[in-house]
């Protein structure tokens, strides 16, 4: 009788281990991303960058992800533009959002553009899941400006009020598979613009997400060549001038259309 109880207990323990193993094997990459973000951003506040070790944890998960991990296929309607779409409509798939972080996917048809915009106080991970995309990004370079200076603009039909100097961080084409891009509150290309060279999808993790009441408003910008603006006392060697630009705040572009759609990939628990 004792042997029977031990055997039965052993069988139960064996089944429990098998169930645990099945659960472990069954964790999807998108679920792992959610769990990692929940851990990494748990104690973060706006403007506070996760530790390098925690940044690497999120990056390591994203680096391995493809469109298949979130239930996307390049032939889906999101990635096709109509002749009447000028510019093409962008689709956003919402996966998760809380006060600490958000996860979502931008689906871009060919030639779609996400205009130059900022990420105030945020750490942002962007993973190109498939396709080709051009990314242009800047960081502020106000430290180069002499004090109490006013830029003199040479840009038609626009005044120079609100112009700020920025340094070019990235101006390159990317093709999936590629590593995850990361930007920080004051570094890494906090203001960026995405241009789809082919149909493509970008998985974004924002920590924390945009929040107007807390001052994290998505601000859009024009960018003008450095040579178009002159500032007394500011001198940059001619060969380096292409590394700088002048940015000016603008309203959300009227021709920017971003529509929400239901995420239909693996469930997040």
């Amino acid at each position: 009788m004792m042997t029977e109880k031990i055997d039965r207990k052993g069988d139960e323990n064996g089944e429990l281990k098998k169930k645990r193993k099945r659960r472990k094997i069954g964790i999807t990459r998108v679920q792992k991303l959610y769990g990692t973000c929940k851990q990494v951003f748990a104690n973060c506040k706006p403007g506070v960058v996760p530790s390098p070790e925690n940044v690497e944890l999120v990056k390591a998960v994203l680096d391995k992800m493809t469109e298949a991990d979130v239930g996307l296929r390049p032939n889906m309607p999101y990635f096709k533009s109509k002749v009447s779409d000028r510019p093409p409509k962008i689709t956003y798939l919402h996966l998760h959002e809380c006060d600490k972080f958000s996860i979502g996917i931008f689906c871009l048809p060919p030639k779609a553009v996400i205009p130059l915009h900022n990420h105030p106080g945020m750490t942002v991970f962007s993973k190109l899941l498939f396709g080709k995309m051009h990314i242009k990004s800047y960081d502020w370079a106000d430290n180069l400006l002499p004090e109490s200076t006013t830029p003199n603009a040479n840009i038609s039909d626009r005044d120079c009020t609100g112009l700020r100097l920025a340094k070019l961080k990235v101006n390159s084409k990317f093709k999936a598979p590629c590593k995850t891009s990361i930007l920080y509150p004051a570094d890494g290309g906090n203001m960026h613009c995405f241009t789809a060279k082919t149909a493509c999808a970008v998985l974004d993790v924002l920590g924390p997400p945009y929040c107007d009441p807390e001052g994290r408003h998505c601000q859009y910008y024009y960018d003008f060549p450095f040579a178009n603006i002159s500032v007394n006392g500011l001198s940059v060697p001619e060969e380096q001038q292409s590394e700088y630009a002048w940015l000016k705040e603008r309203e959300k572009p009227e021709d920017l259309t971003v529509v929400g759609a239901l995420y239909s990939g693996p469930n997040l628990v």
Side-chain angles (χ1 to χ4, degrees):
M1 181 69 74
M2 183 63 71
T3 304
E4 185 178 336
K5 287 183 178 178
I6 293 173
D7 290 344
R8 189 176 300 149
K9 188 173 182 180
D11 290 343
E12 290 174 354
N13 287 339
E15 285 300 316
L16 188 58
K17 287 179 181 178
K18 287 179 182 178
K19 287 180 181 178
R20 286 175 178 169
K21 186 176 181 181
R22 280 197 296 269
R23 281 200 296 268
K24 188 174 182 181
I25 293 174
I27 294 176
T28 63
R29 281 183 177 158
V30 71
Q31 182 67 46
K32 186 174 182 180
L33 175 64
Y34 168 78
T36 303
C37 291
K38 189 174 181 181
Q39 171 191 336
V40 166
F41 292 108
N43 299 313
C44 284
K45 297 178 181 178
V48 176
V49 177
S51 69
E53 294 79 11
N54 279 339
V55 167
E56 186 56 38
L57 285 177
V58 179
K59 181 179 180 297
V61 178
L62 283 168
D63 279 347
K64 296 177 181 178
M65 293 187 69
T66 69
E67 69 273 21
D69 294 311
V70 289
L72 290 179
R73 298 182 307 279
N75 62 354
M76 285 178 156
Y78 311 138
F79 306 107
K80 298 176 182 178
S81 58
K82 298 177 181 178
V83 176
S84 59
D85 287 345
R86 292 289 184 270
K89 178 174 63 179
I90 298 166
T91 302
Y92 180 75
L93 307 179
H94 168 85
L95 277 71
H96 172 80
E97 183 170 334
C98 62
D99 61 344
K100 296 292 185 180
F101 68 95
S102 67
I103 303 174
I105 305 168
F106 287 98
C107 303
L108 292 82
K111 299 183 180 180
V113 177
I114 299 178
L116 187 64
H117 63 284
N118 70 347
H119 306 82
M122 299 154 68
T123 300
V124 179
F125 300 78
S126 297
K127 175 61 194 297
L128 183 62
L129 297 173
F130 75 89
K132 298 177 184 178
M133 169 179 284
H134 182 271
I135 299 177
K136 189 176 188 180
S137 68
Y138 298 95
D139 288 312
W140 294 123
D142 295 327
N143 59 308
L144 293 181
L145 284 174
E147 293 184 9
S148 303
T149 57
T150 303
N152 297 311
N154 182 28
I155 43 180
S156 61
D157 301 324
R158 302 189 191 281
D159 63 36
C160 56
T161 305
L163 285 170
R164 287 184 68 181
L165 184 63
K167 191 174 191 305
L168 188 66
K169 181 69 176 182
V170 175
N171 188 21
S172 304
K173 291 180 182 178
F174 292 81
K175 179 182 178 181
C178 56
K179 297 295 184 181
T180 303
S181 299
I182 308 171
L183 63 83
Y184 303 96
D187 190 24
N190 188 273
M191 288 79 68
H192 67 197
C193 170
F194 290 167
T195 302
K197 295 301 181 182
T198 67
C200 57
V202 181
L203 174 55
D204 263 2
V205 174
L206 279 59
Y210 290 107
C211 180
D212 285 353
E214 295 182 10
R216 294 190 301 281
H217 166 69
C218 182
Q219 178 62 57
Y220 294 90
Y221 298 91
Y222 296 109
D223 61 336
F224 304 107
F226 176 84
N228 286 14
I229 317 291
S230 62
V231 172
N232 294 330
L234 174 62
S235 178
V236 173
E238 187 173 349
E239 65 272 14
Q240 295 179 19
Q241 291 186 7
S242 61
E243 299 175 15
Y244 294 88
W246 295 95
L247 270 55
K248 181 179 174 65
E249 293 185 1
R250 63 181 295 190
E251 295 296 322
K252 178 183 175 182
E254 293 182 2
D255 59 358
L256 173 62
T257 304
V258 181
V259 297
L262 184 66
Y263 167 69
S264 58
N267 290 334
L268 288 179
V269 181

